[in-house]
Amino acid sequence: MRCVTDDFPASTVLGYPRVGPDRELKHALEGYWDGRIDRAGLDRVGRALRADTWHRLAQLGLDGLPSNTFSEYDQVLDTAVLVDAVPDRFRERSEPYFAMARGADGVAPLRMTKWFDTNYHYLVPEIGPRTRFRLVADKPLGEVREARELGYETRPVVVGPVTFLRLAQAAPGSPAGFAPIDRLDDLLDVYVRLLTALADEGVAWVQLDEPVLVTDGGSPAVRHAYRRLAGHGRRPRLLVASYFGDIADALPALAVTAVEAVALDLTHGVPANVDLLRGKTVVGGVVSGREVWRTDADSARALLAGANATSVSTSCSLLHVPYSLRGEDVLPGRLAFAEEKVAEVVELARLGPKPGPVPVAAAVGGSPGVHELRVELLNRREGGVPTERNGRAERSPYEVRALAQRDLGLPVLPVTTIGSFPQTGALRAARREVAAGARGEAEYEELVRAEIRRVVEVQERLGIDVLVHGEPERNDMVQYFAEHLDGFAVTRNGWVQSYGSRCTRPPILHGDVRRSAPITVRWARYAQSLTDKPVKGMLTGPVTIVAWSFVRDDLPLRDVTMQVAEAVRAEVQDLEAAGIRVIQVDEPALRELLPLRREEQAGYLEWAVAAYRWATGGAGDATQIHTHLCYSNADEVLAAIDALDADVTSIESARSGTAVQGFGRGLGPGVYDIHSPRIPDVAEVTARLRNALRHVPAERLWVNPDCGLKTRTYEQVEAALANVVAAARKVRSVL
Ligand SMILES: Nc1nc2c(c(=O)[nH]1)N[C@@H](CNc1ccc(C(=O)N[C@@H](CCC(=O)N[C@@H](CCC(=O)N[C@@H](CCC(=O)O)C(=O)O)C(=O)O)C(=O)O)cc1)CN2
Ligand SMILES: [Zn+2]
């Protein structure tokens, strides 16, 4: 394939997985944090992973190798360190980097939140009016040199200045009205120095990632930033990478700058105004970095032709898909993971663009409305005969339900947890042995039951009011349901990084979804048999199940989601019939699927809410429905959360105390952050509760951590929950 403007390589990828094909980085990090391996050991693992990646990409025939795509925790955190935006509270720590990521005694970590509309989480930089930016370029320069020693010239990848600031939050104590983007010019000084340093190092191309371009309103800052950066004399050539959608109206902003190359996510189609990029290299992202379906070569070549692309790439980093299909036997012939996608990129570069019809996304047109879908689902159930139980999509109004739920006999400020208790190594090992045929099913089940007994006993001893069974039978809150529903396939080793050392194996939703038998009922029933306190049944909601799976692309997402909702609805009704009085249906991904463009948001929220209400609407008034959300910048979807109409909503809430005032039903703003090993003390929790009481009346306030406890140890959980119960009692006593 010919390069018109310059020497940008014909094939590349915007980024690559880094946790290791066998999660080597995960194991090394956790070993390091536990003191089982030393710094040198951790460094060795990182170095080997980087080398393996470059070797593999080169071996697959890729021309343009990226560097600085490795991270020990998160690329946004790396960027904060690159510009020395390290808040003072971390500076005197022995390891500021991991303290920012995970907290340290007495020091809260940076907040963590969703990376655009993915299940990857980044750490939110804190930028104030006085943050002093300074270039600390060791990491990108180090990776360039490391690759060079292995014989590879690479293109360092760095989060761009506009995206960095737009994703940051105002540092605590910043004056009202201050926004991190106000510091753009100061930050650009550092990026100019970075470009100089890379030029001095002999780097030919640098990639600055600006996914913020596909959201509303980034364009003026982008225009300003890249005029300045591209106008700077001594620098490598610049590739600005937009991804996660259509750049549309932000494209002219880049077009007027002197950047040499622009990467476009073409999986959403070719921007109408792409001709404005004439004279620049267009890097065509035609191989999806988000999906796992094989790329159709004809469509991809047509997209390349339509966009005048002279280089082929992935639509975004491959961070969001597993390493490879080796060792998997799922859906033969239909899938491509990272390695197979690299091979696709290489092959498409060889074939080159070819004009042809450009495919239209499946998500639009031709599908029934939400109402018709409900009717159709209703008709499909029980031969279309509406019964007392399934004929009703809506429950009575909240006030009526609240009365019907009084006999649950809960105290004011009831204490509960979000569902999971620590996942022990013994359980995980046992699951692996069952999968390998080395352990019997019955023996495993007894292990799970023993764990449920332990979890119930711990909660009774601590004085929790609404108990959970602890989810010990689940490998993951989505994968577990996928394994028990028709229409899903799961992988053996298809790990994808979620945050830091934590990974998931997203299931693959490839066919019509159906529940052929109850999934959770026996575990909930067993837990309830052990206690007089109510046990909360625990389900994952339909939006979250599809959000955290790879999903078929031949049906609109909302139709797929309604199918899942139907399966969850059946499970809710079976739990109720088994005597479970409180049922939580989690929707932590509700916010995640929110379209990045405002104009598409209302349509999404309508069907997302409809799916949730379909899933829960079959419960009687006396059954208390809970929901749980986390990492939500809840403010943006507050009306939708309200519309879910759950009796109780628990929510991550470092700061959402004020956001949720006026919320008309039960509310549990998380009283401590479970993502950090830190144990909250009684005073801290008490203060949180008192603060919450300024916004939520006591009779509707619930007390809970801000997410599930599976990533913690029993020791941490018991200590933390004891303090939570003590704080609740203290606050109750003076109400
Ligand atoms: N899908 C999903 N997305 C989510 C969340 C979530 O819970 N699930 N939570 C939020 C935050 N993200 C998270 C993602 C993952 C984990 C997490 O704890 N993941 C575990 C893996 C969970 C899992 O699938 N476990 C399996 C497999 C465990 C495993 O590693 N087994 C070993 C053997 C272990 C041993 O011998 O001890 C092996 O197979 O080699 C199981 O329990 O069965 C991890 O990385 O450690 C936590 C939060 C948002 N997104
Ligand atoms: Zn959560």
Side-chain angles (χ1 to χ4, degrees), residues 121-317:
H121 305 69
Y122 71 93
L123 289 154
V124 182
E126 295 173 4
I127 305 292
R130 282 189 305 278
T131 301
R132 285 193 38 208
F133 297 123
R134 188 173 66 95
L135 181 66
V136 186
D138 316 9
K139 181 169 179 291
L141 290 173
E143 288 202 19
V144 166
R145 290 173 192 148
E146 210 174 277
R148 204 168 268 162
E149 275 165 33
L150 299 168
Y152 304 115
E153 284 305 316
T154 58
R155 177 186 79 251
V157 178
V158 179
V159 175
V162 180
T163 295
F164 178 76
L165 289 176
R166 287 279 298 252
L167 296 184
Q169 66 175 42
S174 300
F178 169 82
I181 195 75
D182 300 346
R183 301 292 313 277
L184 182 58
D185 276 309
D186 300 324
L187 185 66
L188 289 175
D189 292 344
V190 177
Y191 273 75
V192 163
R193 261 172 254 143
L194 170 67
L195 295 182
T196 308
L198 292 171
D200 290 347
E201 192 67 31
V203 166
W205 284 92
V206 62
Q207 172 182 329
L208 295 175
D209 280 357
E210 294 286 10
V212 81
L213 281 163
V214 308
T215 67
D216 298 310
S219 333
V222 163
R223 185 183 315 117
H224 175 72
Y226 288 93
R227 276 197 162 140
R228 179 145 175 232
L229 293 180
H232 174 64
R234 205 149 45 90
R235 60 167 178 85
R237 286 187 282 277
L238 286 173
L239 165 66
V240 177
S242 69
Y243 47 85
F244 297 150
D246 183 353
I247 177 173
D249 25 315
L251 189 143
L254 276 182
V256 299
T257 70
V259 304
E260 285 80 7
V262 175
L264 300 177
D265 175 351
L266 298 179
T267 60
H268 297 255
V270 175
N273 50 4
V274 74
D275 281 346
L276 295 176
L277 294 178
R278 220 163 264 291
K280 302 188 191 305
T281 298
V282 173
V283 179
V286 288
V287 171
S288 173
R290 302 278 302 266
E291 285 306 335
V292 292
W293 311 109
R294 275 168 70 157
T295 309
D296 176 62
D298 291 336
S299 311
R301 295 175 70 190
L303 287 165
L304 290 169
N308 313 313
T310 49
S311 287
V312 183
S313 184
T314 49
S315 65
C316 60
S317 168

Side-chain angles (χ1 to χ4, degrees), residues 553-572:
D553 57 3
D554 59 342
L555 267 190
L557 193 59
R558 71 176 166 181
D559 298 8
V560 176
T561 309
M562 285 307 271
Q563 290 184 2
V564 179
E566 170 64 13
V568 176
R569 181 182 173 98
E571 188 73 11
V572 166

Side-chain angles (χ1 to χ4, degrees), residues 395 398 401 405 408 410 414-419 465-468 534-541 568 572 581-588 612 616 619 622-629 641 644-651 665-668 700-704:
R395 310 171 73 213
Y398 172 69
R401 303 193 313 250
Q405 291 161 21
L408 282 169
L410 300 174
V415 180
T416 191
T417 62
I418 305 303
D465 301 301
V466 173
L467 310 197
V468 295
V535 170
K536 185 158 65 164
M538 194 60 58
L539 305 175
T540 304
V568 176
V572 166
R581 291 286 314 276
V582 183
I583 301 172
Q584 180 171 308
V585 180
D586 293 324
E587 282 296 18
Y612 186 88
T616 54
T623 300
Q624 190 169 69
I625 298 291
H626 289 216
T627 192
H628 163 72
L629 297 97
I641 299 174
L644 297 180
D645 195 32
D647 298 299
V648 180
T649 301
S650 66
I651 196 160
R665 291 173 291 277
L667 188 72
R700 287 200 271 107
L701 185 64
W702 283 67
V703 182
N704 46 258

Side-chain angles (χ1 to χ4, degrees), residues 263 284 327 359 655 676 684:
R655 310 173 306 152
S676 157
E684 179 182 336

